[in-house]
Amino acid sequence: MGREDLHLPDNRSWENAWDGIYKKVGIPEDLQHPYGCFNYLMNEMLRRKTRKVLDVAMGPGRHSIEMAKNGLEVYGFDLSNTALELAQNKFVELGLTIDTRVANMFGEYPYEDNYFDAVIAIQAIYHGYPDDMLKSFKEIHRVLKPGGFFGFTLSIDCERPMVDFHGTKKTPRARNDKNVEKIGEFTYIFHTGRESGVPHSYPDEATLLSMLNGKFNDVKGFTDYDRMYRMISASAIK
Ligand SMILES: C[S@@+](CC[C@H](N)C(=O)[O-])C[C@H]1O[C@@H](n2cnc3c(N)ncnc32)[C@H](O)[C@@H]1O
């Protein structure tokens, strides 16, 4: 099945689906506290004496808050204006100053070349097609300084069995769930739930490495504690 069979609007209105989620529920439960493995990225950024960091698709800002509390100069953007309003309310409440902008992670980023020491993208860059992901890698590479740190998460391949925190094996989502449809290589669409209609891309390791090739080296990855996401880190080559 190709993209044309899915009746996805040409104007990519699915792209801002999250704005509707934030309008409906405010900050969702699962975005209230930092992602489980975020400490790994935070420690790595501190070890590297990171000063300026960009939070790509920052949402309501749970990681921006952590980074600002750790003394970093934080910039972030998101496509959802509502997410940024929720984030700014939190920053004011906590007395933190964070530069927020509305921008598309698959478009041009509103920052100069070589501006950041680090870029993070948590539960972010897989919300689109593989060629979208490639565009975001190009922009992240452009705004990072030579040797700059890039940390991000990818969801686990929908077709691989997952093992949760308690060691229980879960069935692969795509193969047994009629609500998840494979629409292209590494690309899936959910027909129910809060992200219904949003394409998700989950490249395998070889494809991911080829997407990063020439822009990043020192690529390290591990599967996180609940086997839902892969955490990847890399350094920009210039
Ligand atoms: C699962 S939330 C994660 C938010 C945040 N990174 C976090 O970990 O709390 C995904 C975020 O990606 C944003 N997003 C989706 N597509 C986007 C795009 N094309 N450009 C910028 N942000 C986008 C959504 O608005 C949403 O805030």
Side-chain angles (χ1 to χ4, degrees):
M1 170 175 273
R3 250 190 235 192
E4 63 283 0
D5 303 316
L6 284 163
H7 311 295
L8 285 175
D10 288 343
N11 63 13
R12 294 173 63 107
S13 63
W14 50 265
E15 210 160 42
N16 207 2
W18 273 88
D19 197 62
I21 299 170
Y22 295 127
K23 281 203 169 92
K24 199 165 154 198
V25 302
I27 304 181
E29 183 82 24
D30 54 322
L31 302 187
Q32 304 245 352
H33 305 286
Y35 164 68
C37 294
F38 182 69
N39 267 351
Y40 165 76
L41 296 184
M42 191 68 251
N43 289 338
E44 192 55 24
M45 287 188 281
L46 292 174
R47 191 184 70 77
R48 290 173 176 238
K49 308 214 182 312
T50 299
R51 214 165 55 80
K52 274 189 197 160
V53 61
L54 172 65
D55 189 354
V56 169
M58 68 192 297
R62 56 183 175 154
H63 303 113
S64 290
I65 289 171
E66 276 312 295
M67 296 188 290
K69 280 184 178 168
N70 275 281
L72 274 59
E73 188 181 326
V74 184
Y75 297 70
F77 72 82
D78 201 280
L79 198 55
S80 160
N81 210 25
T82 313
L84 297 183
E85 279 167 22
L86 292 165
Q88 278 300 347
N89 290 344
K90 281 257 167 202
F91 302 157
V92 169
E93 193 183 303
L94 295 165
L96 300 170
T97 304
I98 293 172
D99 180 302
T100 60
R101 302 182 194 189
V102 176
N104 189 335
M105 69 180 151
F106 306 136
E108 207 173 299
Y109 292 10
Y111 315 98
E112 291 165 23
D113 295 357
N114 305 325
Y115 197 66
F116 296 104
D117 303 301
V119 173
I120 65 157
I122 312 287
Q123 290 173 230
I125 46 169
Y126 49 82
H127 292 100
Y129 297 101
D131 50 344
D132 292 322
M133 193 181 282
L134 197 55
K135 282 185 206 153
S136 68
F137 288 155
K138 282 193 182 137
E139 275 298 276
I140 289 166
H141 174 258
R142 180 184 69 74
V143 300
L144 269 173
K145 291 179 185 167
F149 179 71
F150 177 31
F152 63 106
T153 60
L154 282 183
S155 282
I156 284 292
D157 182 341
C158 263
E159 295 186 76
R160 218 168 346 134
M162 294 184 289
V163 179
D164 70 16
F165 188 51
H166 307 288
T168 315
K169 231 181 184 180
K170 295 181 189 168
T171 46
R173 283 194 286 180
R175 217 173 292 153
N176 293 315
D177 186 343
K178 60 181 180 345
N179 297 316
V180 184
E181 186 182 350
K182 185 167 184 171
I183 57 168
E185 212 182 1
F186 312 123
T187 312
Y188 300 83
I189 196 150
F190 297 84
H191 292 304
T192 54
R194 67 183 185 184
E195 292 188 285
S196 174
V198 181
H200 283 62
S201 291
Y202 307 136
D204 64 12
E205 196 175 318
T207 308
L208 178 67
L209 287 173
S210 77
M211 289 166 111
L212 296 171
N213 190 31
K215 296 185 264 310
F216 298 94
N217 64 7
D218 193 23
V219 181
K220 293 185 193 133
F222 62 88
T223 305
D224 77 4
Y225 62 92
D226 65 2
R227 298 280 193 106
M228 280 287 284
Y229 297 101
R230 279 178 286 167
M231 168 76 81
I232 323 272
S233 66
S235 299
I237 322 167
K238 295 268 172 151

